[in-house]
Amino acid sequence: MAAPAGPPAEAAGTECSEEALAAALADVPELARLLETDPYLKPYAPDFQRRYKRFNQTLSSIGENEGGIDRFSRGYESFGVHRCADGGLYCKEWAPGAEGVFLTGDFNDWNPFSHPYKKLDFGKWELYIPPKQNRSVLVPHGSKLKLVIRSKSGEILYRISPWAKYVTREGSNVNYDWIHWDPEYSYKFKHSKPKKPKGLRIYESHVGISSYEGKIASYKHFTCNVLPRIKDLGYNCIQLMAIMEHAYYASFGYQITSFFAASSRYGTPEELKELVDTAHSMGITVLLDVVHSHASKNSEDGLNMFDGTESCYFHYGPRGTHILWDSRLFAYASWEVLRFLLSNIRWWLEEYGFDGFRFDGVTSMLYHHHGIGENFSGDYHEYFGLQVDEDALTYIMLANHLVHTLYPDSITIAEDVSGMPALCSPISQGGGGFDYRLAMAIPDKWIQLLKEYKDEDWNMGNIVYTLTNRRYLEKCIAYAESHDQALVGDKTLAFWLMDAEMYTNMSVLTPFTPVIDRGIQLHKMIRLITHALGGEGYLNFMGNEFGHPEWLDFPRKGNNESYHYARRQFHLTDDDLLRYKDMNKLEERCGWLSAPQAHVSEKHEDNKIIAFERASLLFIFNFHPSKSYTDYRVGTTLPGKYKIVLDSDAAEYGGHKRLDHNTEFFSEPFEHNNCPCSLLVYIPNRVALILRNVDLPN
């Protein structure tokens, strides 16, 4: 479970002298703002000072040695294989542990040593192949290439360039092949990027499982069939998972083998560009799930042992391996690793038009212990000191600086379970520079309640605490469940609520059973209260919005390589006999995600009522399994006339239609729950209501 975001249990024991504080404030331009927002961080001012100075020194060093981060982050323009204007070929690699580097492939009938690279300084190698006399294409588009590495021990290794733009696996081959991608006509973007959304509503998506058929779906399928659904559901952002090439499909895209290659199992790079461009035409922002926290251990078609040594891109020895993920860990202080990763960030922004990133595995990056065996309590001592990997933190700050410098409207999201303070504060304050962090404690809370407690024992105060426990001025993406809960071995909320009856009793032609009735009502309420109270953005994993009836399991040996559960049954939502509805379009009109954090006026344990105001709306939730309340008094800060704008009990949402939407509710100057006004409302059991003050402008 994610750490709480409040002040530490004890700030004592850590001191910062007046001189040290003054020095930190002098070095970090806006540190004073951070410390004003959270005075408990004052003892750690020297840590923020050191982090900011390391970032600034690295940025300055890049400027002095590389001509600035703009040039430094264009590594893909020289590294790899490139066709020159004269028809020749320029090739460049970084292989510091190699004794020799050669290029081979279809173009030279796979002669391994006919085209040697020239050794340069700092472990770099380059090769120029002059054009043919007839100036025909030297290495045709679609032909195969390989690097041949002679290691220091004399071993001959066949490798794929770390900068390869397209790799694919043919037939039953185990390893991927490097395909030279140089089409005569590349995709030309037609649409401009959408403006940065005020309230982020993310549809977490996986192209390969987006069809109801038991096969790997394509970029084309997603573009034509899924994007219109996402738009219709009211989402303004998609987060694409498993795009960076990964040899093992069942890794969910988290064991990357080729960082610059878009996964070929869904189609071509040009088809991915068309997907992004089409989303932009719909006003949808597109984020990439970027994995820079680790890399696959594959060597023949991955980065591992690229030059014959284990320490090329990664740390040497135990520090270079993640013991739980069985993967390699980057050496973030290495100059060429920084070039590689920062160039990779820029590549996806510029070549494919992505609008930002969700950074995976940030907790693993931030700490030398990678979060393994750590139960983060929220005590500030956990976030400072020797356990923090400041090399990785410097890279994170550089990456965020690069993204927001290139495209100020870009969005970056951190997947961090630890709750590190200031991770989503500006770099100028000494922070990490992310725009948002995932509110990872929220789905854990809902699963805990459904697994361990009876409905009547749910603690309203604890629910509110979990949904509102976030750092002031550090924005969060709230979600009731993500892909993690959909995976085999776990259960989605819909499955926890309704289990086997989902298969037999979901039709409106079937009478309500107690299980289905409870499940439908709570499924809606959980999602709405998470959406409205849990953050400054909202995320949903594809299919979960309508209670997808099956878990997610990729083809693997354990299930006989079956695709049956590696799909999303979107055709079910075409059936008017099934009940589901999303709440995004009301948020689009009213904008509660971009409004200040909610004012919670009530969390009544016996009545199971939660009431709060946000964006001039009054939200009321009755979680009681059986009690309805007539003339229930609810406090409000805004006097006036109120009307229902959303009612989870409405017939179109699978409810019991117990409320008259023509009813007008008038506030009285009657103080209630520390609010100057209040009104009387009928609140049926297991119902969520949103009331709008109609005396206020829309």
Side-chain angles (χ1 to χ4, degrees):
M1 183 174 289
E10 288 184 36
T14 301
E15 295 182 3
C16 175
S17 68
E18 290 298 321
E19 293 82 2
L21 178 59
L25 290 169
D27 283 339
V28 186
E30 296 183 336
L31 179 60
R33 288 192 184 184
L34 178 66
L35 301 185
E36 183 181 353
T37 301
D38 186 355
Y40 287 99
L41 289 174
K42 277 187 181 178
Y44 306 99
D47 292 83
F48 289 108
Q49 177 190 27
R50 186 177 61 256
R51 293 173 183 181
Y52 181 81
K53 287 180 75 172
R54 287 194 62 171
F55 157 77
N56 216 27
Q57 287 164 359
T58 307
L59 193 61
S60 297
S61 185
I62 289 171
E64 292 165 9
N65 295 286
E66 300 282 350
I69 196 169
D70 180 71
R71 249 179 97 184
F72 188 61
S73 60
R74 295 177 183 269
Y76 52 81
E77 293 181 354
S78 59
F79 285 85
V81 173
H82 301 273
R83 177 163 47 89
C84 303
D86 64 2
L89 209 67
Y90 180 76
C91 314
K92 189 176 181 181
E93 297 295 340
W94 177 63
E99 281 295 308
V101 179
F102 309 84
L103 186 69
T104 189
D106 293 334
F107 79 100
N108 68 354
D109 295 324
W110 294 97
N111 185 324
F113 306 119
S114 64
H115 289 78
Y117 283 63
K118 175 187 173 185
K119 190 172 185 179
L120 306 175
D121 292 335
F122 308 113
K124 296 172 189 173
W125 301 77
E126 72 173 2
L127 166 66
Y128 173 70
I129 308 175
K132 295 180 179 179
Q133 286 188 344
N134 63 4
R135 300 185 70 82
S136 62
V137 177
L138 201 63
V139 177
H141 167 66
S143 59
K144 293 181 182 178
L145 293 170
K146 280 276 189 183
L147 288 172
V148 180
I149 305 287
R150 181 187 287 128
S151 73
K152 281 186 165 57
S153 65
E155 188 179 4
I156 300 301
L157 308 168
Y158 284 83
R159 294 289 187 257
I160 291 175
S161 170
W163 304 83
K165 297 168 186 168
Y166 188 66
V167 297
T168 188
R169 183 163 52 195
E170 293 183 351
S172 59
N173 290 356
V174 174
N175 294 321
Y176 273 69
D177 291 313
W178 172 17
I179 307 298
H180 183 56
W181 193 258
D182 187 21
E184 185 178 357
Y185 301 105
S186 58
Y187 184 85
K188 302 298 181 188
F189 287 89
K190 305 176 184 68
H191 306 282
S192 58
K193 290 171 173 278
K195 290 183 178 179
K196 187 175 184 177
K198 291 181 180 178
L200 204 56
R201 302 184 299 275
I202 304 172
Y203 199 77
E204 187 183 30
S205 306
H206 187 294
V207 170
I209 65 169
S210 63
S211 168
Y212 68 88
E213 299 177 78
K215 65 177 186 179
I216 297 176
S218 67
Y219 295 126
K220 282 278 190 185
H221 170 85
F222 192 93
T223 301
C224 298
N225 298 285
V226 183
L227 281 179
R229 291 182 184 274
I230 295 170
K231 175 67 175 174
D232 184 59
L233 285 168
Y235 291 92
N236 56 17
C237 179
I238 55 173
Q239 176 187 304
L240 288 179
M241 309 171 62
I243 295 297
M244 301 166 74
E245 190 60 272
H246 48 293
Y248 185 41
Y249 189 44
S251 74
F252 223 142
Y254 293 121
Q255 293 274 347
I256 306 302
T257 43
S258 290
F259 283 74
F260 286 82
S263 183
S264 61
R265 53 172 56 89
Y266 319 128
T268 68
E270 311 315 304
E271 289 166 346
L272 174 57
K273 293 173 189 176
E274 183 184 30
L275 187 162
V276 174
D277 198 26
T278 304
H280 287 167
S281 76
M282 298 177 176
I284 296 173
T285 294
V286 187
L287 305 181
L288 175 71
D289 204 349
V290 70
V291 186
H292 282 181
S293 48
H294 64 129
S296 168
K297 283 181 71 174
N298 288 19
S299 55
E300 289 195 34
D301 55 6
L303 282 184
N304 191 28
M305 303 289 292
F306 171 66
D307 64 353
T309 71
E310 65 172 282
S311 58
C312 184
Y313 284 90
F314 310 107
H315 288 295
Y316 179 79
R319 190 181 175 192
T321 300
H322 196 293
I323 59 172
L324 292 185
W325 297 343
D326 193 30
S327 55
R328 299 305 314 277
L329 298 172
F330 286 106
Y332 297 104
S334 164
W335 194 258
E336 293 303 325
V337 171
L338 277 181
R339 186 197 308 276
F340 180 78
L341 294 176
L342 290 172
S343 296
N344 191 235
I345 289 289
R346 184 168 194 154
W347 170 255
W348 293 105
L349 291 173
E350 305 242 321
E351 182 71 14
Y352 288 93
F354 281 94
D355 303 298
F357 304 95
R358 178 260 201 189
F359 280 73
D360 179 70
V362 170
T363 305
S364 176
M365 298 172 73
L366 288 174
Y367 306 98
H368 292 294
H369 53 62
H370 309 299
I372 298 171
E374 296 293 319
N375 184 19
F376 292 99
S377 67
D379 189 300
Y380 280 11
H381 290 84
E382 298 169 333
Y383 307 118
F384 303 95
L386 295 177
Q387 68 266 35
V388 176
D389 187 341
E390 294 195 347
D391 293 339
L393 187 53
T394 299
Y395 165 66
I396 285 171
M397 295 168 77
L398 287 166
N400 278 307
H401 170 78
L402 176 68
V403 170
H404 293 115
T405 300
L406 288 175
Y407 298 99
D409 278 352
S410 291
I411 296 165
T412 59
I413 301 170
E415 188 219 22
D416 169 41
V417 73
S418 75
M420 176 176 272
L423 189 62
C424 299
S425 297
I427 293 169
S428 58
Q429 296 180 11
F434 284 106
D435 296 298
Y436 297 87
R437 63 169 17 114
L438 292 177
M440 301 181 74
I442 295 175
D444 292 344
K445 174 55 61 180
W446 292 124
I447 295 298
Q448 180 194 39
L449 288 172
L450 293 173
K451 283 174 66 173
E452 300 177 12
Y453 293 90
K454 296 177 181 178
D455 295 2
E456 56 268 28
D457 295 331
W458 285 17
N459 185 298
M460 300 296 103
N462 188 251
I463 291 172
V464 169
Y465 173 78
T466 303
L467 289 169
T468 58
N469 180 30
R470 53 190 184 272
R471 294 186 55 78
Y472 181 57
L473 297 182
E474 292 192 47
K475 294 187 286 188
C476 285
I477 303 292
Y479 58 107
E481 55 188 341
S482 70
H483 66 270
D484 291 323
Q485 288 73 39
L487 287 170
V488 65
D490 207 337
K491 289 183 179 181
T492 63
L493 291 179
F495 248 108
W496 279 112
L497 288 161
M498 295 173 277
D499 214 23
E501 290 200 24
M502 288 185 69
Y503 293 105
T504 56
N505 294 315
M506 288 293 285
S507 171
V508 294
L509 302 180
T510 304
F512 273 124
T513 67
V515 169
I516 293 297
D517 187 22
R518 169 184 178 267
I520 288 174
Q521 310 319 323
L522 287 179
H523 193 261
K524 293 177 296 187
M525 295 178 72
I526 287 170
R527 303 183 91 75
L528 180 57
I529 197 170
T530 301
H531 202 314
L533 193 58
E536 290 70 38
Y538 176 76
L539 178 144
N540 170 73
F541 178 63
M542 62 191 310
N544 285 355
E545 72 277 3
F546 63 90
H548 196 278
E550 290 176 345
W551 57 87
L552 184 59
D553 190 13
F554 286 88
R556 53 189 173 84
K557 286 182 180 179
N559 64 11
N560 295 317
E561 303 296 336
S562 171
Y563 284 86
H564 180 75
Y565 294 108
R567 59 181 182 148
R568 296 277 92 178
Q569 298 186 60
F570 286 112
H571 64 290
L572 297 176
T573 66
D574 296 330
D575 186 349
D576 290 335
L577 302 181
L578 296 180
R579 311 176 180 97
Y580 78 97
K581 190 69 179 181
D582 198 84
M583 314 301 175
N584 288 320
K585 293 183 180 179
L586 182 62
E587 197 285 328
E588 177 72 27
R589 293 206 324 263
C590 302
W592 61 70
L593 289 173
S594 57
Q597 192 161 330
H599 170 253
V600 180
S601 61
E602 183 165 352
K603 38 193 176 181
H604 199 292
E605 299 303 339
D606 293 333
N607 295 340
K608 302 301 176 194
I609 297 286
I610 295 172
F612 58 89
E613 290 176 296
R614 193 175 186 188
S616 301
L617 298 172
L618 178 58
F619 296 80
I620 309 167
F621 293 80
N622 179 3
F623 280 98
H624 204 287
S626 58
K627 285 186 181 179
S628 300
Y629 303 101
T630 303
D631 290 340
Y632 194 91
R633 188 169 294 278
V634 178
T636 176
T637 58
L638 299 170
K641 180 172 71 175
Y642 287 77
K643 294 199 73 171
I644 296 171
V645 290
L646 190 141
D647 164 23
S648 70
D649 201 41
E652 61 265 32
Y653 299 142
H656 298 285
K657 203 177 178 181
R658 288 171 286 181
L659 288 156
D660 181 359
H661 291 192
N662 293 318
T663 304
E664 296 176 339
F665 304 91
F666 294 90
S667 69
E668 306 170 86
F670 189 96
E671 187 176 337
H672 184 70
N673 286 338
N674 296 315
C675 295
C677 305
S678 58
L679 59 155
L680 300 174
V681 186
Y682 169 50
I683 317 172
N685 67 303
R686 287 193 181 130
V687 164
L689 291 176
I690 304 179
L691 278 62
R692 185 175 73 83
N693 189 323
V694 296
D695 291 341
L696 298 175
N698 282 322

